Amino acid sequence: KQLYDTIRERRFIHDGDASLTQHIANANAKVDGDKLRIIKRQDHLKIDLAVCASMASYTARNLLIG
């Protein structure tokens, strides 16, 4: 959910890499309790960079908070 919120609030900045943009576009969200999980829109699409961005966003936030 944190990555989604960061993108929605226009706080997610990247260098315009086409692969990242495509992987984000290929991703859907699945509600899992109070969490959102990143899933593929279709089985053949790639979302690896969306998952990496989510993990990096989580790590960066935790480093800033302490």
Side-chain angles (χ1 to χ4, degrees), residues 46-64:
K46 295 187 183 243
I47 62 169
D48 302 313
L49 297 177
V51 173
C52 289
S54 178
M55 293 170 23
S57 176
Y58 177 82
T59 300
R61 179 172 168 98
N62 286 336
L63 286 174
L64 289 173

Side-chain angles (χ1 to χ4, degrees), residues 17-27 45-47:
D17 180 77
S19 295
L20 176 57
T21 302
Q22 188 62 54
H23 285 218
I24 294 288
N26 292 344
L45 299 174
K46 295 187 183 243
I47 62 169

Side-chain angles (χ1 to χ4, degrees), residues 1-49:
K1 182 169 180 325
Q2 181 179 329
L3 177 62
Y4 173 79
D5 290 342
T6 303
I7 292 171
R8 186 175 47 90
E9 295 165 1
R10 299 181 181 264
R11 294 185 296 129
F12 185 82
I13 299 169
H14 73 94
D15 63 0
D17 180 77
S19 295
L20 176 57
T21 302
Q22 188 62 54
H23 285 218
I24 294 288
N26 292 344
N28 270 352
K30 179 179 179 183
V31 178
D32 187 14
D34 61 343
K35 297 179 182 180
L36 293 178
R37 290 186 48 229
I38 298 171
I39 61 169
K40 296 177 181 182
R41 287 185 188 271
Q42 297 178 357
D43 287 339
H44 68 280
L45 299 174
K46 295 187 183 243
I47 62 169
D48 302 313
L49 297 177

